[in-house]
């Protein structure tokens, strides 16, 4: 009977010691939660900026407009408007950035990758992603 008490005590002690290694602290949870809140806020900010039309815009070259004869009462031909073709940064996970494009697609990109729209990823960091337009070398920071 005495041996049984020691065996049970030994098993309980080993189980508690093993459980301590798997337990995460409140600090770990706080760190994860604050990172999630930060990225959710950054995504909402970028979407609001896009909706307000204050994001970096790029003039998309269009086909040359041929002369059109209009009849009275028909709408006039308007020049092309700037279209935002820059991707939107969704999140950064280490050295990989997830980018959303105007056509609704998304892609994961690393430094040196060529991405949709004629851009090359120059840097990926927690501060944002820097992309360079291949046509003229202009750099944009997505954050």
């Amino acid at each position: 009977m005495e041996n049984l008490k020691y065996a049970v005590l030994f098993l309980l002690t080993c189980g508690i010691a093993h459980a301590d290694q798997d337990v995460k602290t409140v600090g770990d949870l706080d760190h994860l939660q604050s990172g999630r809140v930060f990225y959710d806020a950054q995504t909402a900010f970028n979407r609001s900026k896009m909706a307000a039309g204050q994001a970096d815009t790029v003039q998309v070259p269009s086909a040359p407009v041929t002369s059109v004869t209009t009849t009275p009462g028909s709408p006039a031909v308007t020049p092309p408007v700037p279209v935002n073709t820059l991707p939107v940064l969704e999140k950064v996970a280490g050295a990989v950035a997830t980018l959303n494009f105007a056509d609704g697609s998304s892609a994961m990109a690393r430094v040196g990758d060529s991405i949709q729209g004629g851009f090359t990823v120059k840097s990926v960091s927690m501060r944002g992603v820097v992309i360079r337009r291949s046509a003229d070398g202009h750099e944009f920071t997505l954050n």
Side-chain angles (χ1 to χ4, degrees):
M1 189 65 161
E2 190 70 28
N3 289 340
L4 182 62
K5 282 199 264 184
Y6 288 122
V8 170
L9 182 63
F10 176 74
L11 290 174
L12 285 174
T13 305
C14 291
I16 292 173
H18 179 70
D20 286 343
Q21 295 171 354
D22 294 337
V23 174
K24 299 294 183 180
T25 66
V26 175
D28 293 334
L29 180 61
D30 185 50
H31 177 71
L32 290 172
Q33 186 68 18
S34 64
R36 182 181 166 271
V37 169
F38 172 76
Y39 288 116
D40 286 345
Q42 190 174 33
T43 301
F45 172 75
N46 287 334
R47 286 185 182 148
S48 298
K49 197 162 97 171
M50 293 289 291
Q54 295 177 353
D56 294 323
T57 58
V58 178
Q59 181 73 30
V60 176
S62 61
V65 177
T66 59
S67 63
V68 178
T69 56
T70 59
T71 59
S74 67
V77 177
T78 57
V81 287
V83 178
N84 186 1
T85 58
L86 289 178
V88 176
L89 177 62
E90 182 177 331
K91 67 179 178 179
V92 174
V96 179
T98 303
L99 304 172
N100 293 327
F101 299 97
D103 65 357
S105 64
S106 65
M108 294 171 57
R110 297 175 185 266
V111 173
D113 288 352
S114 294
I115 58 173
Q116 184 178 1
F119 296 97
T120 303
V121 178
K122 299 310 288 180
S123 70
V124 175
S125 70
M126 296 304 283
R127 295 182 143 200
V129 175
V130 177
I131 59 174
R132 176 179 286 161
R133 187 170 41 207
S134 302
D136 61 2
H138 190 267
E139 291 188 354
F140 300 92
T141 301
L142 309 175
N143 53 16

